[in-house]
Amino acid sequence: SQKIEQNSEALNIQEGKTATLTCNYTNYSPAYLQWYRQDPGRGPVFLLLIRENEKEKRKERLKVTFDTTLKQSLFHITASQPADSATYLCALLNAGNMLTFGGGTRLMVKP
Amino acid sequence: NAGVTQTPKFQVLKTGQSMTLQCAQDMNHNSMYWYRQDPGMGLRLIYYSASEGTTDKGEVPNGYNVSRLNKREFSLRLESAAPSQTSVYFCASSEVGRGYTFGSGTRLTVV
């Protein structure tokens, strides 16, 4: 069966460090992968989309990598700030062409 | 820019009651979606509409119906609410190959 796995345990890091979140998937051959941010009580907010032929994509302090051989995406936030604290979701198109989300990883950035 | 607007924001229903969740987008997107989010289950797709006049089932459609009223509006109806439908419901819209824009959600409790 198709699975998207994100670390369900919260990631705690110190302000100014780089946060790295992992998204692993099985039984998908996605054309692209997306990352979202979700704050408590709010809807997810789209951050980045990376296509299968792209190895890396950057947007300001965010960097996403996509390794279709390892079936893994890494999401990096450099120079992290307390305002970056949120839950981060990865999402893939499944075989039915529907976007399927991982369970998300909660990031806590401490001052 | 309003983006995606959902109403109501909160609702309490008794088992067996019916209700319709409303969603409207002002971005001229072709595709619209309804997801539910439950603790430990992540976001799960209920129904989607790839374009005006079409609707398709997602991962968890049982107990729900949808109507794509026009390009802007996509409603979700619970005909006979059950406690298992207690959840946070999100509407989203997108264009093909782009990130989704989500509404702020409807928190539904069925007692």
Side-chain angles (χ1 to χ4, degrees):
Chain A
S1 63
Q2 294 180 313
K3 283 186 180 179
I4 304 172
E5 294 181 337
Q6 297 185 256
N7 194 341
S8 59
E9 291 184 12
L11 176 64
N12 294 294
I13 65 167
Q14 206 65 35
E15 182 177 7
K17 301 293 186 182
T18 296
T20 298
L21 285 69
T22 304
C23 176
N24 294 302
Y25 59 92
T26 55
N27 295 323
Y28 280 91
S29 296
Y32 55 78
L33 183 149
Q34 302 182 12
W35 282 89
Y36 290 77
R37 169 184 173 140
Q38 188 172 24
D39 292 285
R42 308 290 292 271
V45 174
F46 171 71
L47 295 175
L48 281 167
L49 181 153
I50 184 166
R51 303 187 187 282
E52 59 179 339
N53 60 348
E54 297 174 314
K55 297 294 185 187
E56 181 180 299
K57 201 155 194 180
R58 293 175 185 261
K59 179 182 176 183
E60 298 173 352
R61 294 184 295 110
L62 308 181
K63 184 179 86 170
V64 171
T65 62
F66 191 14
D67 189 325
T68 55
T69 301
L70 289 178
K71 297 187 183 299
Q72 181 182 79
S73 175
L74 299 179
F75 178 82
H76 307 272
I77 306 176
T78 58
S80 59
Q81 304 166 0
D84 295 326
S85 299
T87 296
Y88 291 87
L89 309 168
C90 73
L92 299 169
L93 275 183
N94 67 12
N97 211 36
M98 294 180 283
L99 197 65
T100 305
F101 286 80
T105 298
R106 187 172 165 217
L107 173 66
M108 299 284 290
V109 181
K110 298 183 178 179
Chain B
N1 291 335
V4 175
T5 302
Q6 289 184 238
T7 56
K9 293 191 183 303
F10 301 93
Q11 184 71 50
V12 178
L13 289 179
K14 293 182 179 179
T15 298
Q17 286 185 319
S18 62
M19 79 162 295
T20 299
L21 281 64
Q22 307 287 353
C23 175
Q25 53 97 4
D26 62 1
M27 295 167 288
N28 204 35
H29 287 166
N30 281 307
S31 302
M32 297 186 73
Y33 315 86
W34 277 104
Y35 284 86
R36 61 178 288 175
Q37 188 172 37
D38 304 290
M41 301 293 291
L43 281 158
R44 293 181 292 168
L45 184 65
I46 306 170
Y47 270 94
Y48 67 102
S49 171
S51 61
E52 185 178 355
T54 69
T55 61
D56 285 287
K57 294 178 180 180
E59 182 185 354
V60 288
N62 291 345
Y64 305 96
N65 284 302
V66 289
S67 295
R68 184 74 183 265
L69 304 170
N70 47 55
K71 192 170 185 179
R72 290 188 65 247
E73 298 173 288
F74 188 38
S75 62
L76 178 72
R77 182 160 178 84
L78 286 70
E79 291 291 352
S80 179
S84 61
Q85 294 178 304
T86 293
S87 188
V88 181
Y89 291 85
F90 289 104
C91 177
S93 70
S94 78
E95 286 299 333
V96 174
R98 302 290 185 93
Y100 288 18
T101 301
F102 282 84
S104 57
T106 294
R107 283 144 190 81
L108 176 67
T109 302
V110 183
V111 297

mmCIF file of all heavy atoms in Angstrom, chain B residues 54-94:
data_model
loop_
_atom_site.group_PDB
_atom_site.id
_atom_site.type_symbol
_atom_site.label_atom_id
_atom_site.label_comp_id
_atom_site.label_asym_id
_atom_site.label_seq_id
_atom_site.Cartn_x
_atom_site.Cartn_y
_atom_site.Cartn_z
ATOM 1 N N THR B 54 -18.089 18.499 -12.379
ATOM 2 C CA THR B 54 -17.599 17.138 -12.091
ATOM 3 C C THR B 54 -17.265 17.009 -10.617
ATOM 4 O O THR B 54 -16.786 17.959 -9.997
ATOM 5 C CB THR B 54 -16.340 16.799 -12.901
ATOM 6 O OG1 THR B 54 -15.248 17.586 -12.434
ATOM 7 C CG2 THR B 54 -16.550 17.050 -14.381
ATOM 8 N N THR B 55 -17.550 15.835 -10.057
ATOM 9 C CA THR B 55 -17.137 15.515 -8.699
ATOM 10 C C THR B 55 -16.703 14.063 -8.652
ATOM 11 O O THR B 55 -17.212 13.230 -9.421
ATOM 12 C CB THR B 55 -18.266 15.734 -7.671
ATOM 13 O OG1 THR B 55 -19.372 14.879 -7.989
ATOM 14 C CG2 THR B 55 -18.725 17.179 -7.639
ATOM 15 N N ASP B 56 -15.762 13.756 -7.760
ATOM 16 C CA ASP B 56 -15.268 12.387 -7.614
ATOM 17 C C ASP B 56 -14.988 12.075 -6.157
ATOM 18 O O ASP B 56 -14.673 12.981 -5.367
ATOM 19 C CB ASP B 56 -13.974 12.186 -8.411
ATOM 20 C CG ASP B 56 -14.235 12.077 -9.886
ATOM 21 O OD1 ASP B 56 -14.748 11.024 -10.301
ATOM 22 O OD2 ASP B 56 -13.934 13.038 -10.613
ATOM 23 N N LYS B 57 -15.092 10.790 -5.836
ATOM 24 C CA LYS B 57 -14.846 10.361 -4.468
ATOM 25 C C LYS B 57 -13.360 10.367 -4.175
ATOM 26 O O LYS B 57 -12.525 10.058 -5.029
ATOM 27 C CB LYS B 57 -15.393 8.945 -4.260
ATOM 28 C CG LYS B 57 -16.899 8.851 -4.366
ATOM 29 C CD LYS B 57 -17.367 7.407 -4.197
ATOM 30 C CE LYS B 57 -18.878 7.321 -4.315
ATOM 31 N NZ LYS B 57 -19.360 5.930 -4.165
ATOM 32 N N GLY B 58 -13.063 10.677 -2.920
ATOM 33 C CA GLY B 58 -11.702 10.577 -2.441
ATOM 34 C C GLY B 58 -11.519 9.339 -1.600
ATOM 35 O O GLY B 58 -12.140 8.311 -1.853
ATOM 36 N N GLU B 59 -10.721 9.475 -0.580
ATOM 37 C CA GLU B 59 -10.360 8.317 0.255
ATOM 38 C C GLU B 59 -11.477 7.918 1.223
ATOM 39 O O GLU B 59 -11.678 6.736 1.494
ATOM 40 C CB GLU B 59 -9.100 8.666 1.052
ATOM 41 C CG GLU B 59 -8.550 7.567 1.936
ATOM 42 C CD GLU B 59 -7.366 8.051 2.767
ATOM 43 O OE1 GLU B 59 -6.919 9.203 2.567
ATOM 44 O OE2 GLU B 59 -6.900 7.278 3.628
ATOM 45 N N VAL B 60 -12.227 8.897 1.743
ATOM 46 C CA VAL B 60 -13.230 8.616 2.777
ATOM 47 C C VAL B 60 -14.568 9.286 2.458
ATOM 48 O O VAL B 60 -15.026 10.162 3.184
ATOM 49 C CB VAL B 60 -12.721 9.055 4.182
ATOM 50 C CG1 VAL B 60 -11.631 8.120 4.671
ATOM 51 C CG2 VAL B 60 -12.225 10.508 4.162
ATOM 52 N N PRO B 61 -15.266 8.873 1.392
ATOM 53 C CA PRO B 61 -16.487 9.565 0.981
ATOM 54 C C PRO B 61 -17.778 9.139 1.683
ATOM 55 O O PRO B 61 -18.786 9.849 1.600
ATOM 56 C CB PRO B 61 -16.575 9.185 -0.504
ATOM 57 C CG PRO B 61 -15.975 7.810 -0.553
ATOM 58 C CD PRO B 61 -14.856 7.831 0.464
ATOM 59 N N ASN B 62 -17.746 7.999 2.392
ATOM 60 C CA ASN B 62 -18.993 7.472 2.950
ATOM 61 C C ASN B 62 -19.598 8.421 3.973
ATOM 62 O O ASN B 62 -18.920 8.892 4.880
ATOM 63 C CB ASN B 62 -18.747 6.103 3.593
ATOM 64 C CG ASN B 62 -18.426 5.044 2.562
ATOM 65 O OD1 ASN B 62 -18.648 5.236 1.365
ATOM 66 N ND2 ASN B 62 -17.886 3.923 3.004
ATOM 67 N N GLY B 63 -20.895 8.690 3.813
ATOM 68 C CA GLY B 63 -21.613 9.566 4.734
ATOM 69 C C GLY B 63 -21.651 11.016 4.288
ATOM 70 O O GLY B 63 -22.232 11.850 4.982
ATOM 71 N N TYR B 64 -21.056 11.292 3.127
ATOM 72 C CA TYR B 64 -20.977 12.668 2.618
ATOM 73 C C TYR B 64 -21.491 12.743 1.180
ATOM 74 O O TYR B 64 -21.407 11.775 0.433
ATOM 75 C CB TYR B 64 -19.533 13.170 2.631
ATOM 76 C CG TYR B 64 -18.831 13.083 3.952
ATOM 77 C CD1 TYR B 64 -18.016 11.991 4.258
ATOM 78 C CD2 TYR B 64 -18.951 14.098 4.901
ATOM 79 C CE1 TYR B 64 -17.355 11.902 5.471
ATOM 80 C CE2 TYR B 64 -18.284 14.022 6.117
ATOM 81 C CZ TYR B 64 -17.493 12.916 6.389
ATOM 82 O OH TYR B 64 -16.841 12.840 7.589
ATOM 83 N N ASN B 65 -21.987 13.931 0.833
ATOM 84 C CA ASN B 65 -22.280 14.253 -0.554
ATOM 85 C C ASN B 65 -21.739 15.651 -0.848
ATOM 86 O O ASN B 65 -21.557 16.455 0.069
ATOM 87 C CB ASN B 65 -23.792 14.234 -0.825
ATOM 88 C CG ASN B 65 -24.311 12.826 -0.914
ATOM 89 O OD1 ASN B 65 -23.866 12.034 -1.738
ATOM 90 N ND2 ASN B 65 -25.252 12.481 -0.039
ATOM 91 N N VAL B 66 -21.470 15.918 -2.117
ATOM 92 C CA VAL B 66 -20.940 17.223 -2.489
ATOM 93 C C VAL B 66 -21.720 17.778 -3.673
ATOM 94 O O VAL B 66 -22.361 17.045 -4.427
ATOM 95 C CB VAL B 66 -19.445 17.169 -2.856
ATOM 96 C CG1 VAL B 66 -18.587 16.916 -1.622
ATOM 97 C CG2 VAL B 66 -19.180 16.140 -3.945
ATOM 98 N N SER B 67 -21.615 19.097 -3.811
ATOM 99 C CA SER B 67 -22.190 19.789 -4.972
ATOM 100 C C SER B 67 -21.222 20.863 -5.425
ATOM 101 O O SER B 67 -20.797 21.681 -4.605
ATOM 102 C CB SER B 67 -23.533 20.437 -4.608
ATOM 103 O OG SER B 67 -24.497 19.488 -4.283
ATOM 104 N N ARG B 68 -20.848 20.818 -6.709
ATOM 105 C CA ARG B 68 -20.061 21.926 -7.284
ATOM 106 C C ARG B 68 -21.073 22.856 -7.936
ATOM 107 O O ARG B 68 -21.490 22.655 -9.069
ATOM 108 C CB ARG B 68 -19.053 21.377 -8.308
ATOM 109 C CG ARG B 68 -18.133 22.454 -8.862
ATOM 110 C CD ARG B 68 -17.095 22.873 -7.881
ATOM 111 N NE ARG B 68 -16.253 23.937 -8.378
ATOM 112 C CZ ARG B 68 -15.069 23.763 -8.978
ATOM 113 N NH1 ARG B 68 -14.604 22.543 -9.182
ATOM 114 N NH2 ARG B 68 -14.374 24.800 -9.369
ATOM 115 N N LEU B 69 -21.444 23.861 -7.174
ATOM 116 C CA LEU B 69 -22.552 24.732 -7.570
ATOM 117 C C LEU B 69 -22.189 25.579 -8.782
ATOM 118 O O LEU B 69 -23.024 25.848 -9.650
ATOM 119 C CB LEU B 69 -22.940 25.625 -6.392
ATOM 120 C CG LEU B 69 -23.293 24.849 -5.101
ATOM 121 C CD1 LEU B 69 -23.414 25.798 -3.930
ATOM 122 C CD2 LEU B 69 -24.575 24.062 -5.306
ATOM 123 N N ASN B 70 -20.972 26.006 -8.841
ATOM 124 C CA ASN B 70 -20.427 26.802 -9.954
ATOM 125 C C ASN B 70 -18.917 26.751 -9.791
ATOM 126 O O ASN B 70 -18.403 26.012 -8.944
ATOM 127 C CB ASN B 70 -20.972 28.234 -9.932
ATOM 128 C CG ASN B 70 -20.891 28.847 -8.561
ATOM 129 O OD1 ASN B 70 -19.802 28.877 -7.969
ATOM 130 N ND2 ASN B 70 -22.011 29.313 -8.031
ATOM 131 N N LYS B 71 -18.190 27.544 -10.564
ATOM 132 C CA LYS B 71 -16.739 27.456 -10.473
ATOM 133 C C LYS B 71 -16.240 27.898 -9.101
ATOM 134 O O LYS B 71 -15.222 27.422 -8.622
ATOM 135 C CB LYS B 71 -16.088 28.310 -11.563
ATOM 136 C CG LYS B 71 -14.604 28.044 -11.723
ATOM 137 C CD LYS B 71 -14.046 28.715 -12.948
ATOM 138 C CE LYS B 71 -12.590 28.315 -13.143
ATOM 139 N NZ LYS B 71 -12.003 28.922 -14.347
ATOM 140 N N ARG B 72 -16.934 28.783 -8.431
ATOM 141 C CA ARG B 72 -16.482 29.345 -7.164
ATOM 142 C C ARG B 72 -16.829 28.486 -5.964
ATOM 143 O O ARG B 72 -16.114 28.487 -4.979
ATOM 144 C CB ARG B 72 -17.122 30.720 -6.941
ATOM 145 C CG ARG B 72 -16.654 31.841 -7.823
ATOM 146 C CD ARG B 72 -17.250 33.159 -7.334
ATOM 147 N NE ARG B 72 -16.773 33.527 -6.017
ATOM 148 C CZ ARG B 72 -17.529 33.573 -4.921
ATOM 149 N NH1 ARG B 72 -18.808 33.248 -4.965
ATOM 150 N NH2 ARG B 72 -17.010 33.936 -3.759
ATOM 151 N N GLU B 73 -17.949 27.770 -6.017
ATOM 152 C CA GLU B 73 -18.501 27.175 -4.794
ATOM 153 C C GLU B 73 -18.550 25.655 -4.834
ATOM 154 O O GLU B 73 -18.963 25.050 -5.834
ATOM 155 C CB GLU B 73 -19.904 27.726 -4.561
ATOM 156 C CG GLU B 73 -19.944 29.229 -4.355
ATOM 157 C CD GLU B 73 -21.364 29.758 -4.310
ATOM 158 O OE1 GLU B 73 -22.021 29.794 -5.376
ATOM 159 O OE2 GLU B 73 -21.817 30.100 -3.207
ATOM 160 N N PHE B 74 -18.185 25.045 -3.704
ATOM 161 C CA PHE B 74 -18.159 23.585 -3.575
ATOM 162 C C PHE B 74 -18.634 23.262 -2.169
ATOM 163 O O PHE B 74 -17.942 23.582 -1.204
ATOM 164 C CB PHE B 74 -16.724 23.105 -3.815
ATOM 165 C CG PHE B 74 -16.549 21.616 -3.913
ATOM 166 C CD1 PHE B 74 -17.476 20.809 -4.541
ATOM 167 C CD2 PHE B 74 -15.402 21.022 -3.402
ATOM 168 C CE1 PHE B 74 -17.290 19.446 -4.655
ATOM 169 C CE2 PHE B 74 -15.190 19.646 -3.509
ATOM 170 C CZ PHE B 74 -16.151 18.871 -4.138
ATOM 171 N N SER B 75 -19.809 22.655 -2.049
ATOM 172 C CA SER B 75 -20.375 22.419 -0.733
ATOM 173 C C SER B 75 -20.297 20.945 -0.367
ATOM 174 O O SER B 75 -20.291 20.064 -1.228
ATOM 175 C CB SER B 75 -21.827 22.898 -0.671
ATOM 176 O OG SER B 75 -22.620 22.176 -1.606
ATOM 177 N N LEU B 76 -20.239 20.689 0.939
ATOM 178 C CA LEU B 76 -20.172 19.330 1.493
ATOM 179 C C LEU B 76 -21.375 19.121 2.386
ATOM 180 O O LEU B 76 -21.607 19.919 3.298
ATOM 181 C CB LEU B 76 -18.882 19.153 2.298
ATOM 182 C CG LEU B 76 -18.679 17.808 2.975
ATOM 183 C CD1 LEU B 76 -18.363 16.716 1.931
ATOM 184 C CD2 LEU B 76 -17.541 17.888 4.000
ATOM 185 N N ARG B 77 -22.130 18.059 2.148
ATOM 186 C CA ARG B 77 -23.342 17.813 2.928
ATOM 187 C C ARG B 77 -23.227 16.522 3.714
ATOM 188 O O ARG B 77 -22.794 15.489 3.177
ATOM 189 C CB ARG B 77 -24.577 17.759 2.022
ATOM 190 C CG ARG B 77 -25.878 17.557 2.794
ATOM 191 C CD ARG B 77 -27.086 17.970 2.017
ATOM 192 N NE ARG B 77 -28.313 17.727 2.771
ATOM 193 C CZ ARG B 77 -28.802 18.579 3.680
ATOM 194 N NH1 ARG B 77 -28.186 19.719 3.950
ATOM 195 N NH2 ARG B 77 -29.937 18.300 4.309
ATOM 196 N N LEU B 78 -23.604 16.611 4.983
ATOM 197 C CA LEU B 78 -23.756 15.444 5.838
ATOM 198 C C LEU B 78 -25.254 15.202 5.974
ATOM 199 O O LEU B 78 -25.973 16.035 6.536
ATOM 200 C CB LEU B 78 -23.150 15.680 7.223
ATOM 201 C CG LEU B 78 -21.630 15.689 7.361
ATOM 202 C CD1 LEU B 78 -21.016 16.922 6.708
ATOM 203 C CD2 LEU B 78 -21.238 15.624 8.836
ATOM 204 N N GLU B 79 -25.751 14.112 5.447
ATOM 205 C CA GLU B 79 -27.192 13.856 5.445
ATOM 206 C C GLU B 79 -27.699 13.408 6.808
ATOM 207 O O GLU B 79 -28.779 13.784 7.233
ATOM 208 C CB GLU B 79 -27.534 12.791 4.396
ATOM 209 C CG GLU B 79 -27.368 13.252 2.967
ATOM 210 C CD GLU B 79 -28.401 14.299 2.551
ATOM 211 O OE1 GLU B 79 -29.360 14.561 3.323
ATOM 212 O OE2 GLU B 79 -28.251 14.880 1.469
ATOM 213 N N SER B 80 -26.923 12.594 7.500
ATOM 214 C CA SER B 80 -27.316 12.074 8.811
ATOM 215 C C SER B 80 -26.043 11.940 9.634
ATOM 216 O O SER B 80 -25.355 10.926 9.566
ATOM 217 C CB SER B 80 -28.024 10.726 8.663
ATOM 218 O OG SER B 80 -28.378 10.207 9.925
ATOM 219 N N ALA B 81 -25.740 13.007 10.393
ATOM 220 C CA ALA B 81 -24.450 13.080 11.069
ATOM 221 C C ALA B 81 -24.272 11.964 12.104
ATOM 222 O O ALA B 81 -25.227 11.582 12.808
ATOM 223 C CB ALA B 81 -24.298 14.433 11.740
ATOM 224 N N ALA B 82 -23.050 11.480 12.189
ATOM 225 C CA ALA B 82 -22.673 10.448 13.159
ATOM 226 C C ALA B 82 -21.480 10.951 13.969
ATOM 227 O O ALA B 82 -20.701 11.774 13.477
ATOM 228 C CB ALA B 82 -22.305 9.161 12.425
ATOM 229 N N PRO B 83 -21.328 10.457 15.205
ATOM 230 C CA PRO B 83 -20.184 10.898 16.026
ATOM 231 C C PRO B 83 -18.844 10.689 15.330
ATOM 232 O O PRO B 83 -17.916 11.470 15.550
ATOM 233 C CB PRO B 83 -20.318 10.024 17.286
ATOM 234 C CG PRO B 83 -21.787 9.783 17.399
ATOM 235 C CD PRO B 83 -22.268 9.622 15.984
ATOM 236 N N SER B 84 -18.737 9.677 14.449
ATOM 237 C CA SER B 84 -17.481 9.429 13.733
ATOM 238 C C SER B 84 -17.145 10.556 12.747
ATOM 239 O O SER B 84 -16.024 10.616 12.236
ATOM 240 C CB SER B 84 -17.560 8.100 12.976
ATOM 241 O OG SER B 84 -18.614 8.140 12.027
ATOM 242 N N GLN B 85 -18.097 11.430 12.502
ATOM 243 C CA GLN B 85 -17.852 12.555 11.599
ATOM 244 C C GLN B 85 -17.404 13.814 12.347
ATOM 245 O O GLN B 85 -17.198 14.862 11.731
ATOM 246 C CB GLN B 85 -19.100 12.842 10.763
ATOM 247 C CG GLN B 85 -19.424 11.704 9.797
ATOM 248 C CD GLN B 85 -20.675 11.946 8.989
ATOM 249 O OE1 GLN B 85 -21.761 12.181 9.527
ATOM 250 N NE2 GLN B 85 -20.547 11.871 7.664
ATOM 251 N N THR B 86 -17.219 13.685 13.647
ATOM 252 C CA THR B 86 -16.595 14.758 14.414
ATOM 253 C C THR B 86 -15.173 14.941 13.915
ATOM 254 O O THR B 86 -14.380 13.993 13.921
ATOM 255 C CB THR B 86 -16.589 14.414 15.913
ATOM 256 O OG1 THR B 86 -17.934 14.401 16.392
ATOM 257 C CG2 THR B 86 -15.771 15.423 16.697
ATOM 258 N N SER B 87 -14.855 16.146 13.453
ATOM 259 C CA SER B 87 -13.571 16.361 12.806
ATOM 260 C C SER B 87 -13.422 17.845 12.482
ATOM 261 O O SER B 87 -14.320 18.650 12.731
ATOM 262 C CB SER B 87 -13.501 15.548 11.497
ATOM 263 O OG SER B 87 -12.207 15.597 10.933
ATOM 264 N N VAL B 88 -12.272 18.182 11.931
ATOM 265 C CA VAL B 88 -12.068 19.501 11.340
ATOM 266 C C VAL B 88 -12.087 19.325 9.826
ATOM 267 O O VAL B 88 -11.344 18.489 9.292
ATOM 268 C CB VAL B 88 -10.746 20.139 11.789
ATOM 269 C CG1 VAL B 88 -10.598 21.521 11.169
ATOM 270 C CG2 VAL B 88 -10.677 20.224 13.309
ATOM 271 N N TYR B 89 -12.923 20.085 9.162
ATOM 272 C CA TYR B 89 -13.095 19.963 7.720
ATOM 273 C C TYR B 89 -12.447 21.153 7.017
ATOM 274 O O TYR B 89 -12.680 22.304 7.376
ATOM 275 C CB TYR B 89 -14.586 19.899 7.366
ATOM 276 C CG TYR B 89 -15.222 18.619 7.839
ATOM 277 C CD1 TYR B 89 -15.697 18.493 9.141
ATOM 278 C CD2 TYR B 89 -15.317 17.521 6.997
ATOM 279 C CE1 TYR B 89 -16.258 17.307 9.583
ATOM 280 C CE2 TYR B 89 -15.883 16.331 7.423
ATOM 281 C CZ TYR B 89 -16.353 16.232 8.725
ATOM 282 O OH TYR B 89 -16.893 15.054 9.160
ATOM 283 N N PHE B 90 -11.629 20.838 6.023
ATOM 284 C CA PHE B 90 -10.964 21.870 5.242
ATOM 285 C C PHE B 90 -11.367 21.776 3.785
ATOM 286 O O PHE B 90 -11.380 20.682 3.199
ATOM 287 C CB PHE B 90 -9.435 21.729 5.337
ATOM 288 C CG PHE B 90 -8.871 22.088 6.667
ATOM 289 C CD1 PHE B 90 -8.466 21.113 7.561
ATOM 290 C CD2 PHE B 90 -8.710 23.419 7.027
ATOM 291 C CE1 PHE B 90 -7.932 21.442 8.789
ATOM 292 C CE2 PHE B 90 -8.178 23.765 8.257
ATOM 293 C CZ PHE B 90 -7.792 22.774 9.141
ATOM 294 N N CYS B 91 -11.636 22.928 3.215
ATOM 295 C CA CYS B 91 -11.853 23.054 1.782
ATOM 296 C C CYS B 91 -10.585 23.643 1.174
ATOM 297 O O CYS B 91 -9.877 24.422 1.831
ATOM 298 C CB CYS B 91 -13.042 23.974 1.524
ATOM 299 S SG CYS B 91 -13.383 24.300 -0.218
ATOM 300 N N ALA B 92 -10.275 23.246 -0.035
ATOM 301 C CA ALA B 92 -9.087 23.762 -0.715
ATOM 302 C C ALA B 92 -9.373 23.917 -2.190
ATOM 303 O O ALA B 92 -10.307 23.308 -2.730
ATOM 304 C CB ALA B 92 -7.891 22.829 -0.505
ATOM 305 N N SER B 93 -8.554 24.726 -2.849
ATOM 306 C CA SER B 93 -8.674 24.876 -4.302
ATOM 307 C C SER B 93 -7.283 24.957 -4.905
ATOM 308 O O SER B 93 -6.307 25.269 -4.207
ATOM 309 C CB SER B 93 -9.499 26.110 -4.666
ATOM 310 O OG SER B 93 -8.793 27.293 -4.350
ATOM 311 N N SER B 94 -7.195 24.663 -6.199
ATOM 312 C CA SER B 94 -5.889 24.712 -6.864
ATOM 313 C C SER B 94 -6.063 24.705 -8.377
ATOM 314 O O SER B 94 -7.145 24.440 -8.898
ATOM 315 C CB SER B 94 -5.030 23.510 -6.457
ATOM 316 O OG SER B 94 -5.428 22.348 -7.153
#
